[in-house]
């Protein structure tokens, strides 16, 4: 491992047996033992399905991770994204040595501090202050070293009033605040942070991202950050790993990886989608781009026609919103804005997005409907993808996604 490489994963795979705690049964262990003394490969490494939670398994074994390879340099901040069940948390647990890989090897230089799940590493009966000393000792720090940093940890966490209260009485947000402060201030060479920051409020998330930037740029430490918030990934991580079904799909610059991630479930060029129905189901039947194209010029309006089915005669509200390549909602509208409602007789609606508003980018259209009282009937996220082009090349470098009709005197 090179001098500037602080973490290296080589052919990491993790296999689980479905429905059981542990890796298997006595008969399977005996088969493994018999293969080993004969100098043969573990027979159960040759079986197992890929890690796709949406499909029915044809095997008792599943590969949560399969052939993971990457190198991370000292001081890098690496994002990790992917759907739920893609293997992100399993990978972080292996990197943090919470669990071991079935095959492969992890090489690291220095201490690793992990923030994987709310309350991980905290003893519920001990106070916040006692848990700070406990976590520091686990990281190999002396009591004097921890004491020199404890005021900064408590101040950053914002839990001063409750620092001498048992952690079991903390809310999930308070627990995450204290856990992140401990992990960040006890100076690990590698900081591993899972999606738990989403539990914190907006103010704390901003502080946490700022702290991770400081420890990577100012102190030269390495950060691995898992999140479903594409804006946070883009702000913090120059480079990102996209995981899918237990394998690495892409490792590249963050903007490139985010586009691939958001595009994975949308067929380019699709303009009409039909949904099957039974007698008891209500919601969307058909979604159609009236223009019969998914590519528009900045000066073209966008027309969308929706057809729905309702089981009740009540007034219903239809909504639509657009997300950009970072997953941020840039535009939202609903039929009640114009006092338009649907019922069992009125089941079709046409929406027109005026030209000259959306700037050049890819956009992902989501739709929803609810009752007049606010009960959600159906939400379909990212049903269609459209691309806005500016053929005159005058607005491609503008920041943001929307241009409003602004008056200048």
């Amino acid at each position: 491992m090179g001098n500037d490489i602080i973490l290296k994963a080589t052919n990491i795979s993790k296999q689980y047996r479905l429905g059981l705690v542990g890796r298997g049964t006595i008969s399977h262990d005996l088969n493994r033992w018999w293969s080993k003394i004969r100098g043969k490969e573990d027979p159960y490494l040759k079986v197992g399905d890929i890690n796709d939670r949406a499909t029915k398994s044809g095997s008792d074994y599943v590969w949560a991770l399969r052939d993971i390879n990457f190198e991370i340099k000292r001081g890098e901040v690496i994002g990790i994204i992917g759907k739920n069940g893609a293997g992100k948390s399993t990978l972080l647990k292996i990197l943090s040595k919470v669990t071991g890989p079935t095959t492969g090897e992890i090489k690291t230089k220095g201490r690793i501090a992990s923030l994987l799940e709310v309350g991980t590493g905290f003893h519920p009966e001990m106070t916040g202050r006692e848990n700070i000393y406990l976590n520091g000792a686990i990281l190999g720090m002396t009591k004097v070293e921890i004491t020199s940093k404890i005021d900064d940890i408590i101040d950053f966490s914002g839990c001063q009033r409750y620092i001498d209260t048992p952690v079991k009485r903390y809310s999930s947000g308070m627990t995450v605040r204290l856990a992140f402060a401990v992990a960040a201030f006890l100076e690990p060479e590698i900081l591993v942070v899972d999606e738990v920051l989403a539990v914190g409020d907006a103010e704390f998330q901003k502080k946490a991202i700022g702290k991770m930037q400081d420890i990577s740029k100012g102190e030269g430490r390495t950060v691995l950050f898992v999140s479903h918030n594409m804006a946070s990934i883009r702000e913090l991580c120059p480079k990102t790993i996209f995981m899918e079904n237990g394998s690495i799909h892409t490792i590249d610059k963050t903007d490139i990886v985010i586009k691939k991630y958001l595009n994975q479930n949308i067929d380019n060029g699709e303009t009409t989608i039909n949904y099957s129905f039974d007698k008891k189901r209500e919601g969307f039947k058909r979604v159609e781009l009236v223009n019969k194209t998914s590519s528009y010029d900045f000066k073209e309006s966008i027309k969308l026609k929706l057809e729905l089915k309702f089981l009740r005669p009540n007034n219903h509200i239809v909504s639509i919103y657009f997300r950009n390549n970072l997953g941020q909602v840039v535009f939202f509208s609903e039929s009640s804005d114009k006092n338009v409602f649907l019922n069992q007789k009125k089941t079709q609606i046409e929406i027109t997005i005026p030209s000259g508003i959306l700037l050049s980018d890819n956009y992902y259209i989501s739709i929803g409907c609810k009752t007049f009282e606010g009960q959600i009937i159906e939400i379909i996220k990212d049903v269609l993808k459209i691309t806005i082009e500016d053929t005159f090349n005058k607005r491609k470098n503008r920041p943001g996604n929307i241009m409003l009709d602004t008056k200048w005197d």
Side-chain angles (χ1 to χ4, degrees), residues 12 30 115 122 126 149 201 206 209 221 329 340 342:
I12 295 297
L30 287 173
L115 191 58
F122 277 10
M126 297 172 69
K149 299 178 184 302
D201 54 37
K206 187 175 180 180
I209 288 174
R221 288 184 272 157
V329 176
V340 173
L342 297 184

Side-chain angles (χ1 to χ4, degrees), residues 62-298:
V62 64
W63 290 99
L65 296 174
R66 188 76 176 189
D67 297 329
I68 302 293
N69 293 277
F70 59 83
E71 293 181 347
I72 297 175
K73 296 180 180 179
R74 188 180 303 275
E76 280 191 309
V77 182
I78 305 295
I80 303 178
I81 62 176
K83 289 182 178 180
N84 293 330
K88 306 183 298 297
S89 295
T90 302
L91 176 61
L92 293 195
K93 287 176 182 177
I94 291 174
L95 297 179
S96 305
K97 299 181 181 178
V98 173
T99 186
T102 304
T103 64
E105 184 181 25
I106 295 283
K107 291 183 179 179
T108 60
K109 293 180 180 178
R111 296 178 298 198
I112 299 177
S114 303
L115 191 58
L116 301 179
E117 296 174 4
V118 177
T120 299
F122 277 10
H123 194 295
E125 300 294 336
M126 297 172 69
T127 67
R129 189 184 304 275
E130 290 168 340
N131 271 293
I132 293 173
Y133 281 98
L134 174 63
N135 276 261
I138 291 171
L139 287 172
M141 301 182 72
T142 65
K143 187 174 181 180
V144 173
E145 288 178 301
I146 301 169
T147 301
S148 68
K149 299 178 184 302
I150 196 165
D151 289 339
D152 291 333
I153 292 172
I154 296 171
D155 181 63
F156 186 90
S157 71
C159 299
Q160 292 94 331
R161 182 183 293 270
Y162 305 99
I163 199 64
D164 292 310
T165 299
V167 168
K168 67 181 180 181
R169 297 195 175 97
Y170 285 20
S171 68
S172 58
M174 287 172 58
T175 305
V176 165
R177 279 175 168 268
L178 185 61
F180 180 83
V182 170
F185 279 88
L186 293 183
E187 297 185 354
E189 279 71 31
I190 303 171
L191 177 62
V192 176
V193 182
D194 205 343
E195 181 63 31
V196 289
L197 289 187
V199 176
D201 54 37
E203 178 258 342
F204 174 68
Q205 289 181 34
K206 187 175 180 180
K207 280 177 64 175
I209 288 174
K211 182 61 180 176
M212 286 189 279
Q213 289 173 329
D214 290 343
I215 66 177
S216 63
K217 294 177 182 177
E219 303 170 32
R221 288 184 272 157
T222 301
V223 178
L224 296 179
F225 180 48
V226 170
S227 181
H228 291 287
N229 187 326
M230 297 301 110
S232 297
I233 289 284
R234 188 168 186 257
E235 179 182 357
L236 182 64
C237 310
K239 188 176 178 182
T240 296
I241 298 172
F242 168 24
M243 295 189 66
E244 186 175 35
N245 296 335
S247 300
I248 290 179
H249 182 286
T250 308
I251 303 178
D252 211 325
K253 293 179 180 178
T254 295
D255 284 346
I256 295 173
V257 174
I258 287 176
K259 286 182 180 179
K260 289 185 178 182
Y261 171 62
L262 293 175
N263 284 338
Q264 64 180 332
N265 290 325
I266 299 178
D267 296 326
N268 293 332
E270 193 165 21
T271 62
T272 303
I273 297 178
N274 293 297
Y275 295 95
S276 59
F277 263 77
D278 57 37
K279 292 182 179 180
K280 296 182 180 180
R281 182 176 176 264
E282 61 179 347
F284 291 96
K285 292 182 67 176
R286 180 179 175 88
V287 183
E288 178 186 357
L289 288 168
V290 177
N291 313 59
K292 298 299 181 184
T293 179
S294 60
S295 182
Y296 297 84
D297 185 76
F298 173 75

